[in-house]
Amino acid sequence: MNEKILIIDDEPSVLSSLSTILKGENYKVYSAAGGEEAVEVFKSEPFDLVITDNRMPGMNGIEVIKKVKQLDENIEVIVMTGFATIENAVQALKEDGAFDYLTKPLEDIEGLLITVKRAIERRKLRSENKALFEELKQEVDERKQTEIQLLQSKTNLQSVFDGISEPLMMLDQSMSVKVLNKAAKEYLQAESYQDILGRPCYMILAGKSAPCRECKLHLAMLSRNAMTFERNGLKNPSRLEEVVIYPLQNVTGNQEGAIVRIRDITEQKKIEEQLIRADRMSSLAQLSGGIAHEIRN
C-alpha cells in the first residue's frame, strides 16, 4: 500500500514540483492551496504525512499542525518556509509538534526524501506502539476484571464457609489448607487465618512432619469417593468426632484436593448409649414380667 501524503502550499509551482518528486517515489500525493482546504481534505481521507508551508493566507502552518493533530494525534507534519529563523524552527518542532523543518526553495531533494521517509516510519511506529499499548491495556483490564471476579468468588466462598457452624477446611492435592471457616480457626486454636493457610493438615492437626500412616484423606482422594469415619479429637481426646471427606475434581476430572468437615458427636453418642441402655432395661423388665407370670401360673 502506497503511503498517502498531503501537501499544503499557496504557491502552485511548489505544489506541482513537490508532487512530481514524491509521486516519482511511489507516494500517493494530495494537494491543497491553503490550510482551510487542507483540513477539509484531511477530515475525509486518512494520511500518513502532511507537508505544509508555514506562511500562508488565512490559516498558517502552525495552525494546520494543531488542527490535523486534533483529528489524528499520530500524524507527522513537516513544515516548509522561506523565512526560517532559529526561533520559529524551535517553536514548530518543539512547541507545536512538527516532525521537521525545511527551508524553501527545496534544493536538497535527497534530504527531503530522507526526511519524508523518516517521518512516515515514525508515524508507523507511533501507530504500532499505540495499538500495542491498547492491546496491553485491554489485557491488563481483563486481568484486573478476572482478579476482581476471583476475589469476589473467594469472598463469597469464605462467607459460605463461615456460615457453617462446624469446622470446615478445603485442602489442595498436597493436603495443604487453602480455605477454612471461622469454626475451623477456633477448633485449631489459631489467632488468625494466616497461621493455618498454606500449611499441611498433618502438621496443624497432628503436629507431624509427614502424612499420617493409613491417612483417610489420602485414601479418599485416591479413590475419589467420599469417606466418613469417627475418631477421638486430635486437639481434645475426650471429644468424639465424625470426619467427612469430600474429594474435589476440576472440570477435566483431575484431582484438585478435598473438603474436610469435622463434627462433634460426643453428646450424640452419649444420648445413643443412654437410649440403648434404656431399651435394654425395657427389654429386661418385659422379660422379668414374663418370667414372673409363668412362675405364678
Side-chain angles (χ1 to χ4, degrees):
M1 180 179 178
N2 296 338
E3 291 85 355
K4 295 166 63 176
I5 301 175
L6 175 60
I7 306 172
I8 312 164
D9 201 301
D10 60 330
E11 298 181 34
S13 59
V14 174
L15 288 178
S16 177
S17 60
L18 196 52
S19 296
T20 301
I21 294 170
L22 295 175
K23 286 179 180 178
E25 298 296 321
N26 294 322
Y27 293 114
K28 195 171 183 179
V29 181
Y30 293 71
S31 61
E36 292 82 356
E37 178 186 346
V39 171
E40 293 303 316
V41 173
F42 195 89
K43 288 179 181 179
S44 60
E45 292 279 350
F47 287 92
D48 299 291
L49 176 65
V50 172
I51 302 176
T52 181
D53 188 19
N54 189 26
R55 293 193 177 185
M56 297 179 293
M59 186 182 296
N60 62 29
I62 303 304
E63 292 172 327
V64 169
I65 294 175
K66 294 178 180 179
K67 289 290 184 180
V68 297
K69 283 189 174 290
Q70 288 175 357
L71 298 172
D72 181 358
E73 61 181 6
N74 293 321
I75 193 67
E76 296 295 349
V77 182
I78 297 174
V79 177
M80 303 181 298
T81 183
F83 304 93
T85 65
I86 294 177
E87 289 76 10
N88 58 22
V90 170
Q91 179 186 11
L93 289 172
K94 294 187 176 180
E95 297 181 7
D96 299 303
F99 174 78
D100 206 345
Y101 198 92
L102 302 176
T103 58
K104 294 193 297 185
L106 300 173
E107 298 177 351
D108 185 3
I109 304 302
E110 183 177 354
L112 165 67
L113 295 177
I114 292 174
T115 302
V116 167
K117 184 177 180 180
R118 286 176 51 237
I120 291 176
E121 288 177 348
R122 181 176 173 181
R123 170 181 166 71
K124 287 182 179 178
L125 182 61
R126 287 165 65 109
S127 299
E128 290 171 359
N129 288 343
K130 182 180 179 181
L132 179 60
F133 174 78
E134 292 297 330
E135 184 178 340
L136 292 175
K137 183 177 181 296
Q138 182 179 356
E139 183 178 345
V140 170
D141 291 341
E142 290 175 355
R143 287 186 179 182
K144 285 183 178 179
Q145 187 62 32
T146 301
E147 289 174 359
I148 291 172
Q149 292 174 352
L150 289 174
L151 181 60
Q152 185 61 50
S153 298
K154 185 176 181 181
T155 302
N156 293 341
L157 178 62
Q158 187 66 57
S159 298
V160 172
F161 267 40
D162 286 339
I164 299 174
S165 59
E166 298 167 348
L168 202 66
M169 293 181 289
M170 179 184 290
L171 311 178
D172 60 18
Q173 287 179 294
S174 64
M175 292 187 276
S176 297
V177 180
K178 293 175 63 179
V179 184
L180 73 158
N181 65 353
K182 184 178 180 182
K185 181 172 73 72
E186 295 173 353
Y187 171 81
L188 296 171
Q189 301 173 3
E191 293 184 2
S192 69
Y193 290 101
Q194 300 306 319
D195 294 337
I196 305 300
L197 293 174
R199 299 178 64 190
C201 63
Y202 50 81
M203 182 180 296
I204 61 175
L205 289 172
K208 296 182 178 181
S209 58
C212 304
R213 182 178 299 178
E214 297 182 358
C215 174
K216 299 289 195 302
L217 173 62
H218 184 63
L219 293 175
M221 291 171 62
L222 286 177
S223 67
R224 301 186 180 184
N225 294 319
M227 182 178 293
T228 302
F229 63 93
E230 296 178 2
R231 70 180 184 192
N232 291 329
L234 296 179
K235 296 293 183 179
N236 182 5
S238 63
R239 164 184 165 126
L240 190 61
E241 298 174 343
E242 178 188 73
V243 180
V244 184
I245 302 171
Y246 305 94
L248 298 175
Q249 298 178 19
N250 58 24
V251 292
T252 61
N254 294 326
Q255 183 61 44
E256 282 285 304
I259 292 178
V260 178
R261 187 188 71 184
I262 303 172
R263 186 163 70 94
D264 185 356
I265 58 173
T266 306
E267 293 301 320
Q268 176 184 327
K269 287 297 182 181
K270 288 181 179 179
I271 293 173
E272 288 177 357
E273 291 175 358
Q274 291 174 358
L275 290 174
I276 292 173
R277 284 198 298 268
D279 186 59
R280 288 176 178 173
M281 292 298 293
S282 175
S283 298
L284 182 59
Q286 291 178 6
L287 178 61
S288 298
I291 294 173
H293 177 72
E294 292 297 329
I295 292 174
R296 283 196 301 273
N297 288 338

